[in-house]
Amino acid sequence: MEKINAVITGVGGYVPDYILTNDEISRMVDTNDEWIMTRIGVKERHILNEEGLGTSYMARKAVKQLMQRTGSNPDDIDLIVVATTTPDYHFPSTASILCDKLGLKHAFAFDLQAACSGFLYLLETGANFIRSGRYKKIILVGADKMSSMVDYTERATCPIFGDGAAAVMMEPTTEDLGVMDAILRTDGKGLPFLHMKAGGSVCPPSYFTVDNHMHFLYQEGRTVFKYAVSNMSDACAAIAERNHLDKDNIDWIIPHQANLRIIDAVAHRLEVPREKVMVNIEHYGNTSAGTLPLCLWDFEDKLKKGDNLIFTAFGAGFTWGAVYVKWGYDGKKQ
Ligand code: UT7
């Protein structure tokens, strides 16, 4: 029997219309455009500011575009997985809400929580469902409404994050394409440095937790920065080595968009020039699980069949890794 691999066959994306600029942030907290651009690299971020709309609203828009671009019928979708840290509700899953909103009648669905590494974990998870031979069309969504848990009185975190969603279709192939290798890691050592203090089962919501700003994202930025640089670089170097990839045959690095200085450090370690690194942090900020597929959404027209792509990310947990993908088609699907 021919070996089945899993290949990405299309991309869809969505970012909300409202743009929060550095000038506006500078009126909210004591900061300025120059600090944000040099320390983080974000110029603007899109924010879903209409009341009553959550992550599934953006995810639905992204998947609608994906279905249209891939000519897919809702009845043909076997599985939809949503990576998110900002689900519409604690339960049910955001993926289940999407099944209804998209009219998926034959799919099962679940959410995956790996913080900013969510899309990396999705690639390996989706690929293994496809490789089982039982599933033919899988939708993988990275979506986060980070504005729902950012404290806009906290200058060290509020300039970083934005809202957005993007999705890919994954299907079987017998060609030498698709998800070729993955190195995924979780150590659990990141809890003190990156978390939300309340709202979970350890510390349920109360007047005390609300009064004390415990429902916002808490981050010790300097520590997270250090681990992000070393772990993303190590994972990329390891996956490159075991697949005989180097600066000459790597076509694209797709790094998590958390900080331009982290992206530059990873590219430097791999000796890959900046023009081979997908960067859009300037316009979106860190959309958590959204960053990697939003890069694909923006750079799809530059991709060619057979291109060697290395995805890498780092997030709360800590979670991190690198995934090697051989791209499956030329240019942009309209
Ligand atoms: O996606 C999940 C993974 N997350 C990440 O990868 C984020 C990793 N961390 C970072 O990107 C960076 O650590 C930050 C952008 C969060 C912070 O940058 P930094 O260069 O590490 O700054 P710092 O926290 O060491 O602070 C340096 C100084 C401090 O002032 P003092 O104590 O030196 O006087 C801060 O108070 O910069 C100050 N500062 C600011 N100044 C102006 C912090 N935020 C701001 C600000 N504007 N917005």
Side-chain angles (χ1 to χ4, degrees), residues 237-250 308 324:
I239 209 161
E241 195 186 340
R242 77 185 191 192
N243 290 282
H244 313 292
L245 297 171
D246 56 33
K247 59 181 174 11
D248 299 320
N249 57 9
I250 293 172
N308 290 317
Y324 165 35

Side-chain angles (χ1 to χ4, degrees), residues 25 29-36 38-41 115-117 146 154-161 194 217 219-229 232 256-262 281 286-289 291 313-316 318-319:
I25 288 201
V29 290
D30 180 16
T31 189
N32 55 68
D33 178 64
E34 203 240 327
W35 193 94
I36 300 171
T38 51
R39 305 308 295 167
I40 310 172
C116 296
S117 304
M146 296 306 285
E154 174 52 65
R155 72 173 181 171
T157 47
C158 76
I160 301 175
F161 296 98
L194 187 48
L217 178 151
Q219 171 170 256
E220 286 182 26
R222 223 177 282 187
T223 307
V224 177
F225 186 100
K226 201 178 72 190
Y227 282 107
V229 169
M232 286 165 73
H256 176 44
Q257 311 282 304
N259 186 311
L260 194 54
R261 289 181 293 136
I262 298 177
I281 187 172
N286 180 351
T287 56
S288 196
T291 62
F314 182 86
F318 294 124
T319 54

Side-chain angles (χ1 to χ4, degrees), residues 128-328:
N128 284 320
F129 275 100
I130 293 287
R131 289 180 196 127
S132 76
R134 206 185 308 216
Y135 307 96
K136 304 287 181 245
K137 262 185 178 253
I138 296 181
I139 294 173
L140 305 172
V141 191
D144 270 301
K145 183 183 166 184
M146 296 306 285
S147 63
S148 66
M149 59 171 177
V150 165
D151 183 348
Y152 286 97
T153 65
E154 174 52 65
R155 72 173 181 171
T157 47
C158 76
I160 301 175
F161 296 98
D163 302 338
V168 299
M169 190 71 73
M170 195 172 260
E171 298 184 60
T173 180
T174 50
E175 286 187 86
D176 185 30
L177 295 170
V179 179
M180 310 303 284
D181 195 9
I183 294 176
L184 301 177
R185 296 286 180 267
T186 311
D187 67 3
K189 303 239 185 306
L191 176 61
F193 311 113
L194 187 48
H195 60 265
M196 185 188 282
K197 294 192 182 303
S201 55
V202 166
C203 185
S206 66
Y207 289 109
F208 179 85
T209 62
V210 172
D211 289 345
N212 287 281
H213 289 224
M214 292 165 76
H215 294 275
F216 292 118
L217 178 151
Y218 171 83
Q219 171 170 256
E220 286 182 26
R222 223 177 282 187
T223 307
V224 177
F225 186 100
K226 201 178 72 190
Y227 282 107
V229 169
S230 59
N231 286 327
M232 286 165 73
S233 301
D234 287 352
C236 286
I239 209 161
E241 195 186 340
R242 77 185 191 192
N243 290 282
H244 313 292
L245 297 171
D246 56 33
K247 59 181 174 11
D248 299 320
N249 57 9
I250 293 172
D251 295 292
W252 291 98
I253 302 283
I254 301 137
H256 176 44
Q257 311 282 304
N259 186 311
L260 194 54
R261 289 181 293 136
I262 298 177
I263 296 171
D264 283 338
V266 172
H268 182 74
R269 166 86 179 270
L270 291 173
E271 296 175 5
V272 169
R274 186 66 179 276
E275 59 271 20
K276 288 183 170 189
V277 183
M278 292 191 191
V279 179
N280 59 13
I281 187 172
E282 188 171 341
H283 298 296
Y284 302 141
N286 180 351
T287 56
S288 196
T291 62
L292 300 182
L294 280 172
C295 280
L296 289 178
W297 190 52
D298 277 352
F299 285 80
E300 187 188 15
D301 59 335
K302 298 193 166 48
L303 292 170
K304 290 195 273 310
K305 187 172 178 177
D307 275 357
N308 290 317
L309 276 49
I310 294 182
F311 293 82
T312 185
F314 182 86
F318 294 124
T319 54
W320 73 94
V323 175
Y324 165 35
V325 168
K326 240 185 202 311
W327 193 246

